[in-house]
Short mmCIF file of all heavy atoms in Angstrom, two decimals:
data_model
loop_
_atom_site.label_atom_id
_atom_site.label_comp_id
_atom_site.label_asym_id
_atom_site.label_seq_id
_atom_site.Cartn_x
_atom_site.Cartn_y
_atom_site.Cartn_z
N VAL W 299 -2.57 -6.56 8.96
CA VAL W 299 -3.82 -5.99 8.58
C VAL W 299 -4.94 -6.96 8.53
O VAL W 299 -4.71 -8.18 8.37
CB VAL W 299 -3.78 -5.26 7.17
CG1 VAL W 299 -2.82 -4.10 7.15
CG2 VAL W 299 -3.34 -6.30 6.10
N ASP W 300 -6.14 -6.47 8.75
CA ASP W 300 -7.33 -7.37 8.81
C ASP W 300 -7.59 -8.10 7.46
O ASP W 300 -7.27 -7.60 6.41
CB ASP W 300 -8.56 -6.53 9.11
CG ASP W 300 -8.59 -6.03 10.52
OD1 ASP W 300 -7.72 -6.52 11.34
OD2 ASP W 300 -9.33 -5.09 10.82
N PRO W 301 -8.20 -9.25 7.53
CA PRO W 301 -8.59 -9.93 6.33
C PRO W 301 -9.64 -9.17 5.57
O PRO W 301 -10.42 -8.42 6.15
CB PRO W 301 -9.15 -11.27 6.82
CG PRO W 301 -9.44 -11.09 8.23
CD PRO W 301 -8.57 -9.98 8.76
N THR W 302 -9.65 -9.26 4.26
CA THR W 302 -10.66 -8.62 3.42
C THR W 302 -11.22 -9.69 2.49
O THR W 302 -10.43 -10.49 1.93
CB THR W 302 -10.01 -7.52 2.51
OG1 THR W 302 -9.16 -6.75 3.34
CG2 THR W 302 -11.04 -6.66 1.94
N THR W 303 -12.48 -9.72 2.35
CA THR W 303 -13.06 -10.75 1.46
C THR W 303 -13.32 -10.12 0.03
O THR W 303 -13.29 -8.87 -0.07
CB THR W 303 -14.44 -11.21 1.95
OG1 THR W 303 -15.31 -10.12 2.02
CG2 THR W 303 -14.32 -11.82 3.38
N TYR W 304 -13.55 -10.94 -0.90
CA TYR W 304 -13.88 -10.45 -2.24
C TYR W 304 -15.04 -9.55 -2.23
O TYR W 304 -15.04 -8.50 -2.82
CB TYR W 304 -14.09 -11.66 -3.17
CG TYR W 304 -14.62 -11.26 -4.55
CD1 TYR W 304 -13.70 -10.71 -5.47
CD2 TYR W 304 -15.92 -11.40 -4.91
CE1 TYR W 304 -14.08 -10.33 -6.77
CE2 TYR W 304 -16.32 -11.01 -6.19
CZ TYR W 304 -15.42 -10.46 -7.06
OH TYR W 304 -15.81 -10.07 -8.33
N ASP W 305 -16.05 -9.91 -1.46
CA ASP W 305 -17.29 -9.09 -1.34
C ASP W 305 -16.97 -7.68 -0.80
O ASP W 305 -17.53 -6.71 -1.23
CB ASP W 305 -18.35 -9.77 -0.49
CG ASP W 305 -19.10 -10.78 -1.22
OD1 ASP W 305 -19.04 -10.76 -2.49
OD2 ASP W 305 -19.75 -11.69 -0.61
N GLN W 306 -16.13 -7.68 0.23
CA GLN W 306 -15.75 -6.34 0.81
C GLN W 306 -14.99 -5.51 -0.16
O GLN W 306 -15.08 -4.28 -0.15
CB GLN W 306 -14.93 -6.60 2.10
CG GLN W 306 -15.77 -7.07 3.29
CD GLN W 306 -14.85 -7.55 4.42
OE1 GLN W 306 -13.73 -7.96 4.24
NE2 GLN W 306 -15.43 -7.47 5.63
N ILE W 307 -14.23 -6.12 -1.05
CA ILE W 307 -13.43 -5.40 -2.03
C ILE W 307 -14.37 -4.86 -3.07
O ILE W 307 -14.26 -3.68 -3.49
CB ILE W 307 -12.35 -6.33 -2.62
CG1 ILE W 307 -11.32 -6.70 -1.56
CG2 ILE W 307 -11.68 -5.63 -3.85
CD1 ILE W 307 -10.34 -7.82 -2.03
N VAL W 308 -15.35 -5.70 -3.50
CA VAL W 308 -16.24 -5.27 -4.57
C VAL W 308 -17.29 -4.30 -4.06
O VAL W 308 -17.76 -3.42 -4.86
CB VAL W 308 -16.88 -6.51 -5.23
CG1 VAL W 308 -17.83 -6.14 -6.31
CG2 VAL W 308 -15.80 -7.42 -5.82
N HIS W 309 -17.71 -4.43 -2.79
CA HIS W 309 -18.72 -3.51 -2.32
C HIS W 309 -18.10 -2.74 -1.10
O HIS W 309 -18.51 -2.99 0.04
CB HIS W 309 -19.92 -4.30 -1.78
CG HIS W 309 -20.50 -5.19 -2.84
ND1 HIS W 309 -21.16 -4.67 -3.94
CD2 HIS W 309 -20.55 -6.51 -2.97
CE1 HIS W 309 -21.54 -5.64 -4.75
NE2 HIS W 309 -21.21 -6.79 -4.17
N PRO W 310 -17.19 -1.83 -1.43
CA PRO W 310 -16.51 -1.12 -0.29
C PRO W 310 -17.39 -0.21 0.41
O PRO W 310 -16.97 0.39 1.46
CB PRO W 310 -15.38 -0.39 -1.07
CG PRO W 310 -15.81 -0.27 -2.39
CD PRO W 310 -16.80 -1.36 -2.71
N THR W 311 -18.61 0.07 -0.07
CA THR W 311 -19.47 1.09 0.57
C THR W 311 -19.93 0.61 1.97
O THR W 311 -20.13 1.36 2.90
CB THR W 311 -20.69 1.38 -0.23
OG1 THR W 311 -21.11 0.17 -0.83
CG2 THR W 311 -20.40 2.43 -1.29
N ALA W 312 -20.02 -0.71 2.11
CA ALA W 312 -20.30 -1.27 3.45
C ALA W 312 -19.01 -1.13 4.26
O ALA W 312 -18.29 -2.04 4.51
CB ALA W 312 -20.66 -2.74 3.33
N LYS W 313 -18.77 0.15 4.64
CA LYS W 313 -17.47 0.54 5.20
C LYS W 313 -17.11 -0.18 6.51
O LYS W 313 -17.95 -0.25 7.35
CB LYS W 313 -17.38 2.00 5.39
CG LYS W 313 -16.74 2.74 4.22
CD LYS W 313 -15.76 3.81 4.65
CE LYS W 313 -14.71 4.00 3.62
NZ LYS W 313 -13.78 5.05 3.82
N LYS W 314 -15.86 -0.62 6.51
CA LYS W 314 -15.39 -1.16 7.80
C LYS W 314 -15.01 0.00 8.69
O LYS W 314 -14.42 0.93 8.23
CB LYS W 314 -14.21 -2.11 7.54
CG LYS W 314 -14.57 -3.35 6.86
CD LYS W 314 -13.64 -4.49 7.25
CE LYS W 314 -12.26 -4.28 6.66
NZ LYS W 314 -11.35 -5.32 7.09
N GLY W 315 -15.27 -0.14 9.96
CA GLY W 315 -14.89 0.95 10.85
C GLY W 315 -13.43 0.80 11.20
O GLY W 315 -12.66 0.30 10.41
N LYS W 316 -13.09 1.28 12.40
CA LYS W 316 -11.71 1.17 12.86
C LYS W 316 -11.37 -0.30 13.02
O LYS W 316 -12.29 -1.13 13.19
CB LYS W 316 -11.55 1.84 14.22
CG LYS W 316 -11.34 3.36 14.07
CD LYS W 316 -10.73 3.91 15.30
CE LYS W 316 -9.93 5.11 14.96
NZ LYS W 316 -9.03 5.55 15.94
N ARG W 317 -10.14 -0.61 13.02
CA ARG W 317 -9.75 -1.99 13.17
C ARG W 317 -10.34 -2.58 14.45
O ARG W 317 -10.11 -2.14 15.55
CB ARG W 317 -8.20 -2.12 13.23
CG ARG W 317 -7.77 -3.52 13.26
CD ARG W 317 -6.31 -3.81 13.44
NE ARG W 317 -6.18 -5.15 13.80
CZ ARG W 317 -5.34 -6.05 13.18
NH1 ARG W 317 -4.58 -5.60 12.26
NH2 ARG W 317 -5.30 -7.29 13.48
N LYS W 318 -11.19 -3.61 14.23
CA LYS W 318 -11.78 -4.34 15.41
C LYS W 318 -10.93 -5.54 15.62
O LYS W 318 -10.35 -6.11 14.72
CB LYS W 318 -13.16 -4.72 15.08
CG LYS W 318 -14.13 -3.55 15.16
CD LYS W 318 -15.57 -4.00 14.91
CE LYS W 318 -16.19 -3.30 13.72
NZ LYS W 318 -16.73 -4.02 12.65
N PRO W 319 -10.93 -6.02 16.87
CA PRO W 319 -10.20 -7.30 17.13
C PRO W 319 -10.86 -8.40 16.27
O PRO W 319 -12.09 -8.49 16.28
CB PRO W 319 -10.32 -7.54 18.60
CG PRO W 319 -11.15 -6.39 19.11
CD PRO W 319 -11.52 -5.46 18.06
N GLN W 320 -10.07 -9.13 15.55
CA GLN W 320 -10.66 -10.19 14.74
C GLN W 320 -10.64 -11.51 15.55
O GLN W 320 -9.71 -11.74 16.37
CB GLN W 320 -9.78 -10.39 13.49
CG GLN W 320 -9.91 -9.23 12.50
CD GLN W 320 -11.28 -9.26 11.83
OE1 GLN W 320 -11.74 -10.28 11.39
NE2 GLN W 320 -11.90 -8.06 11.73
N PRO W 321 -11.60 -12.33 15.31
CA PRO W 321 -11.57 -13.65 15.97
C PRO W 321 -10.33 -14.39 15.46
O PRO W 321 -10.14 -14.51 14.28
CB PRO W 321 -12.83 -14.34 15.52
CG PRO W 321 -13.32 -13.54 14.30
CD PRO W 321 -12.78 -12.18 14.45
#
Side-chain angles (χ1 to χ4, degrees):
V299 296
D300 289 346
T302 316
T303 63
Y304 174 74
D305 279 343
Q306 286 168 334
I307 293 167
V308 179
H309 305 292
T311 38
K313 266 225 154 175
K314 290 207 292 176
K316 279 201 150 194
R317 186 187 166 129
K318 283 183 239 124
Q320 289 288 318

